[in-house]
Amino acid sequence: MKNNSATYFIPASVEEALTTARANGKSFAYIAGGTDLMVHRQQENNDAECLIDLSAIPGFGKITIEEGRLVIGAGATLEALANSETVRNHYPILATAALSIASPVIRKNATVGGNLLVENRCTFFDQSAYWREAIGLCLKCGGDYCIATGGKKACYSVFISDLVPALICLGAAVHFAGEAGAQVMPLEELYTGAGLKSVSLPPGALITRVEVPAGGEVRTWFRKLRPRKSLDFTNLTLALSFAPGTGHLKVAISGADMGPVVFETDDLSNSEGFIKTVAKRCRMVENLFYPRAYRKQMVGVFLRQGLEEVGAV
Ligand SMILES: Cc1cc2nc3c(=O)[nH]c(=O)nc-3n(C[C@H](O)[C@H](O)[C@H](O)COP(=O)(O)OP(=O)(O)OC[C@H]3O[C@@H](n4cnc5c(N)ncnc54)[C@H](O)[C@@H]3O)c2cc1C
C-alpha cells in the first residue's frame, strides 16, 4: 500500500484556499465532507500531497433566498438541504434528491459542492488498488484500455450525482472562484461528457455556491433506480420539470452516461418519439450493478411515468 499521508490546511477564506492551492499547484485536493475523496484515497485513486479543508470558510454552508433566488453555499450539507424549510416548501425536488443520497450519517458530512464534483463510477474502477492491479488497470487509473468496452479511446465511467439532475432541471447556475476571478455558468456546462475527466472546472478553481432561479409554476418529478433504498449508488436517476403555463419541459439524467444527459422541449406532440430520442442518447455500457439493457429500458419507463404524473402528456 502506498504512503497516503498529506499536509492538511484549513483556510479561513476562499482567497486563502485559492492561495494555498496555488502554492501546492502540482498535488492538492480540496476536501469538503470527504465522503467521496477519502474513499478514493483509500483505494489509491487519489494521492494528493496536500488537502485543503473548506469547512472553516465562513458562510460556506448557508442556504438563503436572495432576490427571489435560492442560494446554496457549496459547503451546505445534504442533510441541511433536505431539512431546509425553504427548500422543502419551494424546491421539494431538491430535498427528495438529497434524501436519496447515501445514508443519514453520510448526509451529515457530504456537501452540495462535493456532490457536484463526485467522481464518476465504474465496476472496474471503484475497487481497491489490489483488485484493480489483479484484473489489469483500466483507462481511468493508468491502464491502456477500458475494461467495460474493450476500447482504447474512451472511458465509460458513469456520472452518478443524484442532486445534479434535480438542480439542472430547475435551471441552476454554478458559481466558482479561481485565477480568473469569480465566474458563473449553467450547471450542465460544468460537465465535459468524458469519463476520464468529467468536469470542466479550471485548475485550482473552487465552487462557492449554486443558485436556483425563482421559476413560475413548475411541476417536478424525481426517480432513482438502485437495488436498495439506502446507501446504493444510482443505476439511473431521472429528474424533470414541467411548466404547465408554457408547456416547457426539461429532463436531466444521471447514471446513464459519462455526464448528465439533458433535454429540453416545448413540443410533446410526439412524446413516444421524444422518449426514444432521450433513451438513445444514453450511452450505457455494462459497468454498474444492473445490466445495460435493463437500465436503458428504464429510461423510457421513468420518463413516461414522469411525463404522465406532471400532466405533460
Ligand atoms: C456509501 C456511500 C454512498 C454514496 N451514495 C451516493 C449517492 O447515492 N448519490 C450520490 O450522488 N453520491 C453518493 N455518494 C458520494 C458522496 O458521498 C456524495 O456525492 C457527497 O455529496 C460528496 O460530497 P463531499 O462533501 O463529501 O465531497 P468530498 O469527498 O469532500 O469531495 C468530492 C470532490 O469534490 C471536490 N470538492 C469538494 N468541494 C469542492 C468545492 N467547493 N470546490 C471545488 N472542489 C470541491 C473534492 O476535491 C473532491 O474531488 C456516496 C458515498 C458513499 C461513501
Side-chain angles (χ1 to χ4, degrees):
M1 174 141 178
K2 278 189 209 158
N3 175 10
N4 217 356
S5 62
T7 314
Y8 204 85
F9 293 93
I10 312 180
S13 66
V14 168
E15 293 67 34
E16 194 185 334
L18 294 173
T19 311
T20 311
R22 212 173 299 127
N24 290 277
K26 288 220 172 74
S27 186
F28 80 92
Y30 292 121
I31 178 165
T35 62
D36 191 50
L37 185 73
M38 293 313 287
V39 175
H40 287 292
R41 287 183 75 77
Q42 285 299 318
Q43 291 175 340
E44 298 181 27
N45 276 323
N46 180 298
D47 58 2
E49 288 160 11
C50 159
L51 295 182
I52 305 172
D53 182 336
L54 305 175
S55 63
I57 298 177
F60 212 53
K62 270 195 184 159
I63 300 172
T64 51
I65 295 283
E66 289 172 24
E67 293 167 7
R69 297 186 308 277
L70 175 69
V71 179
I72 310 168
T77 64
L78 299 180
E79 180 189 68
L81 188 70
N83 287 344
S84 155
E85 282 292 307
T86 309
V87 171
R88 290 165 86 98
N89 291 336
H90 301 290
Y91 305 89
I93 189 173
L94 297 182
T96 307
L99 280 176
S100 80
I101 294 169
S103 67
V105 173
I106 293 174
R107 292 196 292 271
K108 269 186 189 303
N109 294 298
T111 65
V112 170
N115 192 260
L116 264 45
L117 299 179
V118 62
E119 186 55 87
N120 278 19
R121 291 185 68 83
C122 172
T123 304
F124 303 100
F125 174 68
D126 291 286
Q127 305 288 349
S128 66
Y130 176 75
W131 192 101
R132 285 182 282 115
E133 276 157 20
I135 197 167
L137 296 177
C138 74
L139 265 185
K140 198 165 170 65
C141 52
D144 56 9
Y145 75 105
C146 164
I147 299 175
T149 62
K152 290 199 165 188
K153 288 195 180 137
C155 158
Y156 280 81
S157 63
V158 184
F159 178 74
I160 58 85
S161 163
D162 293 303
L163 197 54
V164 166
L167 284 166
I168 288 178
C169 78
L170 293 178
V174 60
H175 291 244
F176 54 93
E179 292 283 320
Q183 286 176 268
V184 57
M185 61 164 75
L187 181 53
E188 48 266 58
E189 290 179 15
L190 183 62
Y191 303 102
T192 61
L196 278 188
K197 188 178 176 301
S198 57
V199 172
S200 68
L201 209 56
L206 181 62
I207 294 184
T208 50
R209 64 187 193 277
V210 181
E211 291 194 3
V212 182
E217 195 214 329
V218 282
R219 299 177 191 159
T220 54
W221 193 90
F222 178 91
R223 226 30 126 253
K224 176 172 174 178
L225 178 70
R226 53 179 162 173
R228 297 169 298 180
K229 279 200 173 158
S230 178
L231 269 180
D232 283 337
F233 285 89
T234 191
N235 275 237
L236 174 69
T237 294
L238 189 147
L240 63 83
S241 67
F242 175 65
T246 59
H248 187 72
L249 173 82
K250 189 161 186 181
V251 180
I253 306 176
S254 64
D257 198 278
M258 293 87 98
V261 173
V262 183
F263 276 88
E264 286 183 78
T265 183
D266 293 320
D267 176 14
L268 276 170
S269 52
N270 177 9
S271 60
E272 282 305 315
F274 177 71
I275 291 169
K276 238 188 215 163
T277 306
V278 175
K280 198 168 167 200
R281 165 64 183 78
C282 297
R283 294 171 293 176
M284 291 162 166
V285 302
E286 299 287 0
N287 62 349
L288 293 184
F289 180 83
Y290 285 127
R292 169 189 177 277
Y294 174 61
R295 288 164 51 220
K296 194 113 180 150
Q297 221 176 357
M298 286 306 289
V299 176
V301 172
F302 276 5
L303 191 46
R304 204 168 289 115
Q305 200 181 343
L307 293 178
E308 278 170 17
E309 286 185 21
V310 297
V313 290

